[in-house]
Amino acid sequence: PFDDIKVRQAFNYAIDRQTLASTLLEDLVVPAAGILPPGFPGYNPDLQGYEFDPEKARRLVQESKYGALDELPRIILTLPGNFGAGVSPSIEAMLAMWEENLGVNIQLQQTEWGTFLQDLHQNRFQMFGGLGWIADYPDPQNFLDILFHSESENNQTHYSNDAVDALLEKARVEPDRETRFKLYNEAEQKILDDAPWILLWNAGERYA
């Protein structure tokens, strides 16, 4: 059902990121409001992310083209891993939140890494996880352009928005740093509004 933007937004609103960060992960992570992590060049502290709001999540599904929670098609979350391999507590917690807040029972499918990548590149997944990204250099382009421009090979969700593409292309050649970061801030907000990803957390400070 993720062809409908309101369903994608609903799944974001149905996750309590603060509880995941504080209770499950013992405050070793910080709930993510946006794509660029805190302290990264171009980070926007005023970004409008997804607060935990299960009532709004249910309402969005009702406003979607599906009309009701029980009308949503079967949903399968695919993860890399051998059949029967253990699932992380954070994944289990998210599945429980979606079931409690949306009444959606999501099935898990685990596939061997090579098969996972092959299916990923052929756009076979309804919903997938288990991938990560670390910036190669400290610039917003290395997150936003590489992961969300419609023609990027690393755009694994096949996200496409002409307005976002235009902003990213303009930012590539903008010489003024402040203006450039504003272009990236605008692009990031548009991406968040479209909800192609479910953002969870960023790494926090750790002490031993």
Side-chain angles (χ1 to χ4, degrees):
F2 301 112
D3 57 337
D4 192 304
I5 185 174
K6 292 190 175 182
V7 174
R8 298 196 302 270
Q9 291 171 342
F11 271 69
N12 270 280
Y13 280 117
I15 292 180
D16 186 349
R17 293 166 179 79
Q18 188 59 59
T19 294
L20 286 175
S22 298
T23 303
L24 189 65
L25 299 171
E26 300 180 338
D27 288 320
L28 293 175
V29 298
V30 179
I35 300 158
L36 301 179
F40 199 82
Y43 172 72
N44 180 11
D46 299 322
L47 202 68
Q48 296 298 310
Y50 291 91
E51 299 290 337
F52 178 51
D53 192 338
E55 183 177 341
K56 186 171 185 177
R58 291 188 290 270
R59 186 171 69 250
L60 281 166
V61 174
Q62 293 168 356
E63 293 173 358
S64 74
K65 70 179 184 180
Y66 297 95
L69 291 166
D70 56 6
E71 293 296 325
L72 293 178
R74 183 181 67 162
I75 299 174
I76 298 174
L77 169 61
T78 305
L79 302 171
N82 296 325
F83 179 76
V87 177
S88 71
S90 56
I91 292 290
E92 291 182 344
M94 284 189 294
L95 295 178
M97 287 179 181
W98 284 325
E99 183 172 8
E100 178 180 353
N101 299 318
L102 290 176
V104 176
N105 185 12
I106 296 176
Q107 294 179 288
L108 276 181
Q109 173 179 269
Q110 294 173 302
T111 62
E112 184 270 331
W113 179 244
T115 303
F116 179 88
L117 289 179
Q118 184 178 18
D119 289 344
L120 177 68
H121 294 316
Q122 294 183 16
N123 197 25
R124 291 177 174 169
F125 296 144
Q126 212 181 3
M127 186 185 202
F128 65 88
L131 298 179
W133 183 260
I134 298 174
D136 301 292
Y137 42 87
D139 190 274
Q141 184 270 348
N142 199 235
F143 274 98
L144 301 176
D145 203 329
I146 288 181
L147 298 176
F148 295 98
H149 191 282
S150 61
E151 296 181 0
S152 172
E153 292 183 0
N154 288 293
N155 180 356
Q156 306 290 11
T157 59
H158 296 268
Y159 171 74
S160 180
N161 182 319
D162 291 341
V164 170
D165 282 353
L167 288 166
L168 295 175
E169 290 164 15
K170 187 175 181 180
R172 290 175 189 171
V173 295
E174 173 55 55
D176 181 75
R177 174 174 171 160
E178 185 176 346
T179 302
R180 189 166 173 268
F181 283 178
K182 286 181 179 179
L183 291 170
Y184 281 123
N185 291 161
E186 187 178 350
E188 184 179 18
Q189 186 65 68
K190 287 182 181 295
I191 294 166
L192 279 182
D193 293 343
D194 287 338
W197 283 13
I198 293 171
L199 296 159
L200 296 174
W201 54 72
N202 300 118
E205 296 292 336
R206 303 176 184 184
Y207 303 90

